[in-house]
Amino acid sequence: MTRGLFISFEGIDGAGKSTHIERVAHLFQQTGRAVVLSREPGGTPLSEKLRELVLHEPMDPLTEALLMFAARREHLVQVIEPALARGDVVLCDRFTDATFAYQGGGRGFDWQVLAQLERMVQAQPDGTLRQPELTLWFDLDPHIAAQRLASARVPDKFESQPADFFAAVRAGYARRQNEMPHRFARIDAAQAMDAVGADVDRVVADWLKRNTP
Ligand code: TYD
């Protein structure tokens, strides 16, 4: 049977990752793979309810981190693990790196506590941690991201944060990449959309070449 694949997409708000998730979905569908597209926080009815709360209600930083991981646990158990067991390709718009970047980097919440929650929530029966095998990090200067967002929709709790918050989120992503370089691919999201798309295609193709027996 074909092995399941878990790929996540990350970056500060305004980095433009969402367009490219569709692109990667097409890439895999063209090769006949079943693709599950999902997002965090969210991805199950309960997790989407938690998303509404966490993106719009002010709350204590630990409460915020716990709700992110509670939503993630449901998403893993109900959607991600079954899809991977079927051999599907799971493409997730944000995963745990976003918690380290936003709650850890942006909010300054304790990195080690997040690591404990990660171990608790993502533990597999064999003791290993469930992680995306490949993470595309769309990296962009927060000032450019803010300009791109200014013309977009009504901002949520995170999108309305100032540029220095996003500088700290960006630093959080960089720290995560340093800790787990084997699964991170940094994409320069300041380029024109077509060039970013070409980089995405190349990263995914290279990764598949290295990881397909
Ligand atoms: P986002 O994924 O950007 O969705 P949309 O494009 O629909 O706005 O929004 C999710 C927001 O939640 C984003 O600002 C990042 C934040 N977030 C966290 O703070 N921690 C997390 O663990 C996750 C998954 C998201």
Side-chain angles (χ1 to χ4, degrees):
M1 200 188 86
T2 328
R3 191 172 72 82
L5 277 182
F6 183 17
I7 303 178
S8 64
F9 296 75
E10 297 284 357
I12 61 171
D13 291 275
K17 65 189 156 45
S18 303
T19 330
H20 300 290
I21 299 179
E22 300 284 337
R23 181 186 185 93
V24 177
H26 266 105
L27 272 171
F28 280 105
Q29 281 157 348
Q30 277 165 3
T31 67
R33 296 291 301 258
V35 173
V36 173
L37 275 177
S38 201
R39 69 170 180 182
E40 290 213 347
T44 78
L46 174 57
S47 304
E48 291 289 333
K49 285 186 186 167
L50 295 173
R51 177 188 177 96
E52 269 310 299
L53 292 173
V54 84
L55 293 195
H56 299 288
E57 303 284 338
M59 59 185 69
D60 163 77
L62 175 59
T63 310
E64 188 174 281
L66 289 170
L67 287 181
M68 292 296 181
F69 275 108
R72 179 161 304 130
R73 177 71 190 175
E74 280 301 301
H75 190 209
L76 270 170
V77 172
Q78 307 285 348
V79 176
I80 297 176
E81 294 297 349
L84 294 175
R86 287 193 302 269
D88 293 358
V89 178
V90 176
L91 303 180
C92 200
D93 189 342
R94 301 190 184 283
F95 195 65
T96 305
D97 298 316
T99 314
F100 282 87
Y102 280 77
Q103 279 64 54
R107 296 260 194 252
F109 188 75
D110 191 310
W111 198 267
Q112 296 316 322
V113 173
L114 296 179
Q116 275 177 349
L117 293 171
E118 176 183 44
R119 280 195 292 277
M120 202 183 290
V121 167
Q122 292 160 230
Q124 302 256 81
D126 66 2
T128 58
L129 274 199
R130 173 63 75 195
Q131 293 286 13
E133 289 154 88
L134 172 64
T135 296
L136 300 181
W137 170 30
F138 294 81
D139 186 33
L140 183 63
D141 183 304
H143 294 100
I144 304 175
Q147 283 161 14
R148 289 187 185 170
L149 276 181
S151 52
R153 58 206 168 189
V154 183
D156 63 35
K157 199 171 93 183
F158 294 104
E159 287 163 352
S160 54
Q161 294 288 327
D164 59 349
F165 174 84
F166 287 106
V169 173
R170 188 188 197 191
Y173 277 124
R175 181 170 172 188
R176 266 306 253 191
Q177 179 181 32
N178 259 326
E179 290 178 352
M180 301 172 186
H182 59 281
R183 67 173 173 84
F184 262 85
R186 181 187 165 277
I187 306 243
D188 177 6
Q191 305 174 90
M193 172 112 86
D194 284 355
V196 176
D199 276 4
V200 169
D201 289 357
R202 189 179 41 74
V203 163
V204 173
D206 285 354
W207 186 85
L208 282 172
K209 221 179 281 166
R210 275 185 280 117
N211 289 279
T212 312

